[in-house]
Amino acid sequence: MSDERPPVPEPLPHPVVDNHCHLDISRDGRGAAAWDAREAIDAAVAVGVRRIVQIGCDLPGARWAVAAAAEHPELVAGVALHPNEAPRILEAGGRAALEAAWDEIEQLAGAHPKVRAVGETGLDAFRTGADGRAAQVESFRRHVDIAKRLDKTLVIHDRETHDEVLEVIDSEGAPERWVMHCFSGDAAFARACLDRGAHLSFAGTVTFKNAEPLREALRIAPRDRVLVETDAPYLTPAPHRGRTNASYLVPLTVRLMAAERGDDLGELCAAIDANTEAAFGGGW
Ligand SMILES: [Zn+2]
Ligand SMILES: [Zn+2]
C-alpha cells in the first residue's frame, strides 16, 4: 500500500457530487486521514467534483460529519452506526449502550439542515459473523425507522447480503429516498432495487477488471437513477487500485461509466449532479 497520491485526472466537463466519502477515516482505520478535509475538498473541486456527502460511521464519526457539514459549504452529511459498528457496541457496552447510540444518531440526524441522510446502515456478512447478525438486522431496522420519521435519505451498505437487505426494505417499507451505496449486484439485483425506488451509487469497484456483472447493472440502470461515489479512502478506481482513494479521483470512475453506458460524458455528469439533488436534496 503506497501513500503516494495518484496523479490528478483531467477535470470533468460538468460538476458532479461524490455522494459517499469518509474524509475522517485513515486508510488503515488508525491515525489521521491522509488528507486534511479542506485540502481534500479543494482538490476535488478543482477537477469538477464540487460537492461531497460526508458519511459518519460511528458516534465520533457522526459527530464529526455534522460539524464538517456545518463548516464546509461543499459538504452535506449522513449519520449512522455502520452495520459492523452496531454488534461491536452491543458486545462492548451491552443493550443500554446500543440504545443510547441509536438515540444519539437520531438526535444528530435532526441536528442540522445539512444532515441529509441516515447511513450508512444496512448489512454486512463479510466482516460481521453469524453471532452479530441479529444486532445488525435490528440496527438496520432502527435506522430505516429514523430515516422515515425524520424524512432523511436512507443510505444502505450491502456486503454479500443482497436478499437480506431487500427483505428488510420490503418488511419496513422503503423510505421516500434511498441509495444503494457502492452498488455491488448484477443486473437482476439492480432491477429489484430500482423497482423499489432506489438510486444506485457506483464506486471505483465498477472499474475493476473482474466486475463485468456490475458493469452490466450500470448499463441497464436508467440515467436518472445513477450516482457516483468514492467511498474514500477505500475502493480506489483503476488504474490506481490499492492506493488511498480521495474525491479528486471521481473523474476516473465517471469516465469509465460514460464509456460503458455509451453516454456523452458531460450529459452523464449533469444527470449525476441532478440525480444526487433528487436523492439528497439541493440548496448546498
Ligand atoms: Zn459501506
Ligand atoms: Zn462507506
Side-chain angles (χ1 to χ4, degrees):
M1 207 171 293
S2 167
D3 280 341
E4 194 190 325
R5 289 175 185 174
V8 176
E10 195 185 325
L12 293 169
H14 184 286
V16 296
V17 186
D18 174 2
N19 88 95
H20 192 110
C21 182
H22 305 285
L23 289 164
D24 57 326
I25 296 182
S26 67
R27 178 59 194 271
D28 62 3
R30 298 182 294 269
W35 298 69
D36 165 72
R38 188 66 252 166
E39 184 192 15
I41 296 164
D42 288 344
V45 169
V47 294
V49 184
R50 298 252 187 95
R51 295 181 290 177
I52 297 170
V53 182
Q54 165 65 23
I55 300 288
C57 287
D58 55 14
L59 290 179
R63 294 173 198 135
W64 192 93
V66 176
E71 179 181 350
H72 301 287
E74 298 87 350
L75 302 184
V76 293
V79 295
L81 305 180
H82 191 280
N84 296 321
E85 175 68 2
R88 199 198 61 74
I89 292 175
L90 183 64
E91 204 183 312
R95 184 79 206 170
L98 189 53
E99 290 282 354
W102 287 327
D103 286 347
E104 185 173 346
I105 291 297
E106 176 160 352
Q107 183 259 319
L108 288 167
H112 194 285
K114 288 185 82 187
V115 182
R116 300 292 177 85
V118 171
E120 58 188 294
T121 180
L123 300 173
D124 188 317
F126 184 74
R127 290 199 190 281
T128 295
D131 52 335
R133 185 54 65 87
Q136 199 171 74
V137 171
E138 188 185 4
S139 188
F140 184 17
R141 291 186 187 279
R142 290 290 284 255
H143 284 82
V144 175
D145 178 60
I146 294 169
K148 289 166 97 169
R149 282 189 291 105
L150 299 187
D151 190 28
K152 302 292 174 182
T153 305
L154 184 72
V155 173
I156 295 184
H157 169 105
D158 159 32
R159 192 147 183 203
E160 300 176 9
T161 52
H162 300 335
D163 294 344
E164 296 89 337
V165 162
L166 290 185
E167 275 169 36
V168 171
I169 287 295
D170 287 344
S171 66
E172 295 290 324
E176 188 75 12
R177 301 170 306 283
W178 61 293
V179 173
M180 287 298 285
H181 123 73
C182 187
F183 183 79
S184 60
D186 59 10
F189 184 59
R191 284 192 189 93
C193 295
L194 291 163
D195 286 348
R196 292 163 170 84
H199 281 88
L200 308 185
S201 177
F202 291 87
T205 43
V206 77
T207 70
F208 294 175
K209 213 175 193 145
N210 59 358
E212 189 44 42
L214 178 57
R215 283 188 285 275
E216 196 194 337
L218 168 69
R219 290 192 295 266
I220 65 99
R223 190 151 75 181
D224 64 355
R225 305 284 281 280
V226 170
L227 307 177
V228 72
E229 67 172 85
T230 53
D231 203 16
Y234 314 112
L235 307 180
T236 312
H240 305 299
R241 193 176 175 180
R243 303 243 210 125
T244 300
N245 203 3
S247 299
Y248 80 98
L249 295 173
V250 158
L252 297 172
T253 305
V254 177
R255 283 200 166 83
L256 177 286
M257 289 169 68
E260 278 295 322
R261 293 173 54 85
D263 284 341
D264 172 78
L265 179 62
E267 285 176 18
L268 180 62
C269 290
I272 288 172
D273 209 41
N275 299 345
T276 311
E277 292 214 349
F280 291 92
W284 104 93

